[in-house]
Amino acid sequence: YLRSLNLYCKLLIVVDDISDNIFFSSRNLTFVSLLNVNDINPVILLKYDKVLFTQSSIKKIEEVFCE
């Protein structure tokens, strides 16, 4: 599925809350890293080929930086 979305590369997934399901699913994929939106910074973002944000993480970023 990731290959069809052109996400089969060094991928960072940014989430609002790391649930057990997403944690256990992502740890089986060696090229995928998981990060809580509260821990995001520019240096980390530059280390990855692609970054995938969940809708809830985008909303949280907007709350923090758009006020």
Side-chain angles (χ1 to χ4, degrees):
Y1 184 74
L2 290 175
R3 200 174 300 233
S4 67
L5 294 174
N6 199 21
L7 294 174
Y8 196 78
C9 57
K10 196 170 176 187
L11 175 67
L12 175 65
I13 301 175
V14 180
V15 295
D16 182 34
D17 183 35
I18 300 178
S19 67
D20 287 342
N21 281 347
I22 196 163
F23 173 75
F24 290 121
S25 297
S26 67
R27 76 177 183 168
N28 293 328
L29 302 170
T30 58
F31 58 91
V32 174
S33 296
L34 194 59
L35 184 69
N36 189 300
V37 69
N38 296 325
D39 301 325
I40 199 169
N41 70 57
V43 174
I44 291 175
L45 294 177
L46 291 173
K47 293 181 181 180
Y48 292 89
D49 297 327
K50 297 201 177 183
V51 180
L52 179 69
F53 290 90
T54 61
Q55 267 188 323
S56 58
S57 68
I58 293 290
K59 287 180 183 179
K60 187 146 189 177
I61 290 171
E62 288 174 343
E63 289 172 6
V64 172
F65 293 106
C66 292
E67 291 187 2

